[in-house]
Amino acid sequence: MADIRFDGKVAIVTGAGGGLGKQHALELARRGAKVVVNDLGGAMDGSGGHSDAAKAVVEEIKAMGGEAIANGSSVTDDAGVARMVQDAMDQWGRIDVLIANAGILRDKSFSKMEIADFELVLNVHLMGTVKPAKAVWEIMREQNYGRIVVTTSSSGMYGNFGQSNYGAAKMGILGFMQTIKLEGQKNNIHINAISPVAATRMTENLMPPAMLEKLKPEYVTPGVVYLASEEAPTGAILTAGAGVFAMTRLYETEGVYLGEGGLSVEEVRDNWAKISDEAGQKPYFAGSEQGQKFFRKMMGG
Ligand code: NAI
């Protein structure tokens, strides 16, 4: 099969001044994409910021013969996001790919966490995904083409001590994806999620050096670039790290019909084994499939 290329395509990568985003931007450029390198350039907790990080990545792309522009806006800043998209349109006239990757951490156990830290992390990850997606959405609809990759985390899908704010944001991003994947279908807009594990400043204090060495961000990027390609599926959650690639799916068990009459708390307790029985469980592509199952079971099917 032919190599995956992005010639003539334009990609925006948020948070691409370092870590994973930088590798995604470089690989897209290597494969022919014109790239907007966005990064606020702040500290890991979201404080501070300057556009030097994004500019350095742009220089790297230019040095290898590619085309790129830097953008130092925060993904939460409406005017900055609008400028980022307008700059890409002015320069190249289209936007094919959005990789929503920017993010910060404010870890603390829930009992010690300030609501302000919860709101900030939700805002940067969730609204910082929604706002760039909204800003490119009509462009992608008009083009009848678009690929959006959002960035989730095992912390959101399964939990991680000290990351209730981050986990809520990362799962919120998946909820966002599940609906826009349906709304984007008729315009050939595919949305997928990456759940990475990589040695970056976000994780450098969490693992020993020998393990970090096996978790290069470059090992995640091929999965992201595939999800950004013409051949990408839609609605997939790809996990990637250390050269391993797998998929996460949300399954629902077949469940049990307990009838309308005589329903009680005890009936639910006494049927717990059937309710949670994994035999016949399925992933659904849309929420309506759950309702269809309810009616099928109610009708005795
Ligand atoms: P990183 O800290 O190296 O990169 C994040 C980048 O986003 C930084 O360059 C930062 O300046 C930028 N950024 C932060 N706030 C921004 C804002 N408001 N506007 C624009 N840019 C902003 O961290 P890493 O590890 O590369 O993270 C990338 C993404 O992957 C994040 O969404 C993170 O939550 C996610 N992730 C990373 C994991 C890992 O193992 N490294 C695990 C799971 C998810």
Side-chain angles (χ1 to χ4, degrees):
M1 278 204 278
D3 284 354
I4 291 177
R5 296 285 310 173
F6 291 83
D7 303 295
K9 291 201 161 59
V10 177
I12 295 177
V13 186
T14 71
L20 285 155
K22 175 180 174 180
Q23 297 307 322
H24 306 339
L26 290 174
E27 186 61 16
L28 284 163
R30 269 184 217 112
R31 288 172 181 269
K34 302 172 175 75
V35 185
V36 179
V37 179
N38 157 272
D39 206 297
L40 178 65
M44 199 171 67
D45 67 357
S47 58
H50 53 78
S51 60
D52 289 0
K55 284 183 187 151
V57 176
V58 166
E59 288 315 312
E60 228 176 289
I61 291 173
K62 286 187 176 160
M64 62 192 200
E67 282 185 63
I69 52 177
N71 173 278
S73 304
S74 169
V75 286
T76 60
D77 173 34
D78 295 303
V81 168
R83 199 163 48 243
M84 170 174 84
V85 169
Q86 196 54 52
D87 284 354
M89 291 303 283
D90 291 348
Q91 191 96 1
W92 298 308
R94 55 185 296 120
I95 296 168
D96 301 281
V97 172
L98 168 67
I99 313 277
N101 161 83
I104 60 165
L105 289 180
R106 292 267 171 117
D107 292 2
K108 272 193 187 116
S109 66
F110 189 54
S111 80
K112 295 199 179 111
M113 188 174 292
E114 304 283 343
I115 287 296
D117 285 338
F118 206 106
E119 284 178 339
L120 179 74
V121 168
L122 262 188
N123 199 30
V124 171
H125 285 275
L126 182 53
M127 295 315 294
T129 296
V130 171
K131 287 181 177 182
K134 176 75 179 162
V136 301
W137 193 250
E138 292 311 314
I139 296 167
M140 289 181 170
R141 274 165 50 89
E142 268 169 38
Q143 288 170 180
N144 257 314
Y145 185 82
R147 296 288 181 264
I148 299 176
V149 184
V150 298
T151 307
T152 185
S153 167
S154 59
S155 302
M157 297 187 291
Y158 312 119
N160 194 21
F161 201 95
Q163 294 196 319
S164 57
N165 51 0
Y166 179 77
K170 288 306 203 188
M171 200 61 179
I173 287 171
L174 289 184
F176 173 60
M177 173 186 86
Q178 301 291 25
T179 284
I180 65 165
K181 86 181 174 203
L182 300 175
E183 296 182 4
Q185 258 183 328
K186 69 175 187 301
N187 293 105
N188 193 13
I189 305 174
H190 292 193
I191 300 95
N192 294 285
I194 184 76
S195 176
V197 179
T200 66
R201 66 180 186 170
M202 266 196 193
T203 49
E204 65 191 357
N205 297 323
L206 305 178
M207 289 175 245
M211 196 183 275
L212 294 171
E213 181 55 31
K214 301 283 180 211
L215 289 171
K216 295 203 171 94
E218 294 92 303
Y219 300 162
V220 171
T221 293
V224 172
V225 172
Y226 174 65
L227 294 179
S229 74
E230 282 187 20
E231 296 167 46
T234 194
I237 305 167
L238 178 69
T239 67
V244 177
F245 296 87
M247 281 195 47
T248 304
R249 291 196 183 99
L250 296 179
Y251 286 90
E252 182 161 314
T253 62
E254 172 63 15
V256 60
Y257 177 60
L258 296 176
E260 286 172 36
L263 265 186
S264 68
V265 179
E266 291 74 24
E267 282 267 287
V268 174
R269 176 196 63 196
D270 297 344
N271 281 281
W272 198 252
K274 278 193 203 155
I275 292 168
S276 52
D277 186 358
E278 290 173 14
Q281 67 183 8
K282 281 198 182 126
Y284 295 140
F285 190 73
S288 56
E289 290 173 45
Q290 185 194 59
Q292 285 160 16
K293 190 222 1 230
F294 287 180
F295 279 95
R296 169 172 56 75
K297 294 189 80 64
M298 185 192 70
M299 304 295 278

